[in-house]
Amino acid sequence: MHQDEADTDEALVAALIRAQFPRWARLPVAGVVSAGTDNAMYRLGDDLVVRLPRIPGAAADVAKEHRWLPHLAPHLPLDVPEPLGRGVAGEGFPHPWSVYRWLDGEDLFAEPVADLHETALALGRFVAALRGVDAAGAPVSFRGGPVATRDEGVRAAIRDLGADGTHDATAATAVWEETLRLPQWEGAPVWLHGDLLPGNLLARGGRLRAVIDFGGVGAGDPACDTMAAWTLLTAATRAPFREASGADDATWARGRGWALCFGLTAEHYYRGTNPVLAAVAHRTVAEVLADHRRTG
């Protein structure tokens, strides 16, 4: 998916474990099928998972997750990853890497939840709880600043996806330009997950149980964590999510802009390499444009 992507396989993982965590060396290694873009995952026995950054940009997330996940977890109403081991570059692999406790469940790419209204409430409560944790010392989230910083990439995606008929370029441009005129966040930075996509949400028994992949965790404008209203939810289930998350009008409007930004740029980048993520991105753009037609 990326030009600078590192190669990984089960033999590499087994070698890294033998060299750095010999207490787990006898456990079997098996690849995990995932539509994730920044990390490769491998089961280690029944209870553990190894997570290897695919690209240099994801390598810095290892230290961040080990530092902040134990701090955040006690405050959150859904399960989150528990780091158990922090590996270093070796055996020909160029990045730091992690061992986590395995969280049972299927991501929402693979297993739709039984009750989307219940899911909206649970996810909104998660967003509100995360935002309520003291953000002193928190790193800056990669989506924590103004969405206007993504203007060049968004306009390139609108141009190309409009030219081939994938999306209505005129409608997308109108929503994007409206987004750029919105008042910006003036409050103190708050904690964000930063990447609440269906692939980072785990269901068990048809119910949302866990949130994974905290590589984008950090502080900033709370708007980007409302993206789930358009990446996952429907017109009928956005209201309970919004109420549970506590998003005000301006935050909600900026969140819709972030959803449009994600949808356009992700589909533009991944449509030839990651069909699952590209499909989520395509749906997101369609939901944003339809929502804008309904509500203005």
Side-chain angles (χ1 to χ4, degrees):
M1 288 179 286
H2 311 284
Q3 291 184 348
D4 55 353
E5 186 168 332
D7 292 328
T8 68
D9 57 23
E10 293 170 356
L12 169 66
V13 173
L16 287 167
I17 292 295
R18 285 195 303 271
Q20 299 184 35
F21 298 103
R23 65 187 180 277
W24 294 325
R26 295 182 178 273
L27 296 176
V29 176
V32 176
V33 177
S34 168
T37 62
D38 290 350
N39 296 275
M41 295 189 298
Y42 294 83
R43 290 289 297 269
L44 183 62
D46 293 331
D47 300 321
L48 306 175
V49 62
V50 176
R51 191 160 175 260
L52 304 176
R54 297 177 185 269
I55 54 177
D61 298 339
V62 172
K64 182 168 60 174
E65 290 193 350
H66 280 257
R67 166 66 180 88
W68 291 107
L69 274 168
H71 172 73
L72 295 171
H75 304 282
L76 301 177
L78 297 170
D79 292 339
V80 299
E82 179 186 354
L84 299 176
R86 183 173 167 184
V88 298
E91 310 304 315
F93 185 70
H95 306 308
W97 51 282
S98 296
V99 181
Y100 294 89
R101 193 174 306 284
W102 176 255
L103 286 171
D104 283 328
E106 295 290 337
D107 69 53
L108 268 58
F109 284 146
E111 180 182 315
V113 290
D115 186 337
L116 202 55
H117 183 277
E118 178 186 272
T119 300
L121 289 171
L123 191 56
R125 291 168 185 146
F126 174 89
V127 167
L130 180 58
R131 189 178 64 239
V133 180
D134 183 1
V140 177
S141 171
F142 81 117
R143 289 195 176 114
V147 72
T149 60
R150 313 299 177 96
D151 185 56
E152 183 178 353
V154 169
R155 291 187 188 276
I158 290 173
R159 180 194 64 228
D160 293 345
L161 297 174
D164 65 14
T166 301
H167 292 294
D168 182 335
T170 300
T173 299
V175 179
W176 179 243
E177 291 184 346
E178 183 177 301
T179 297
L180 298 179
R181 294 191 295 269
L182 292 170
Q184 295 305 299
W185 174 250
E186 295 181 352
V190 298
W191 275 108
L192 316 168
H193 177 276
D195 206 23
L196 290 177
L197 304 178
N200 293 331
L201 307 174
L202 296 186
R204 292 192 298 273
R207 299 184 65 185
L208 180 63
R209 302 291 188 179
V211 177
I212 60 173
D213 190 353
F214 280 70
V217 74
D221 176 0
C224 76
D225 271 358
T226 68
M227 286 200 309
W230 298 273
T231 62
L232 172 67
L233 301 176
T234 62
T237 54
R238 285 185 194 117
F241 170 77
R242 180 177 177 179
E243 182 176 358
S245 70
D248 59 27
D249 290 346
T251 299
W252 190 251
R254 290 194 307 278
R256 189 168 68 177
W258 267 113
L260 180 66
C261 172
F262 157 75
L264 289 167
T265 57
E267 185 173 13
H268 191 228
Y269 187 85
Y270 289 112
R271 58 181 173 167
T273 59
N274 189 323
V276 174
L277 187 57
V280 171
H282 183 86
R283 176 194 182 275
T284 300
V285 176
E287 288 288 328
V288 168
L289 297 184
D291 188 39
H292 186 262
R293 287 193 298 269
R294 283 192 301 269
T295 64

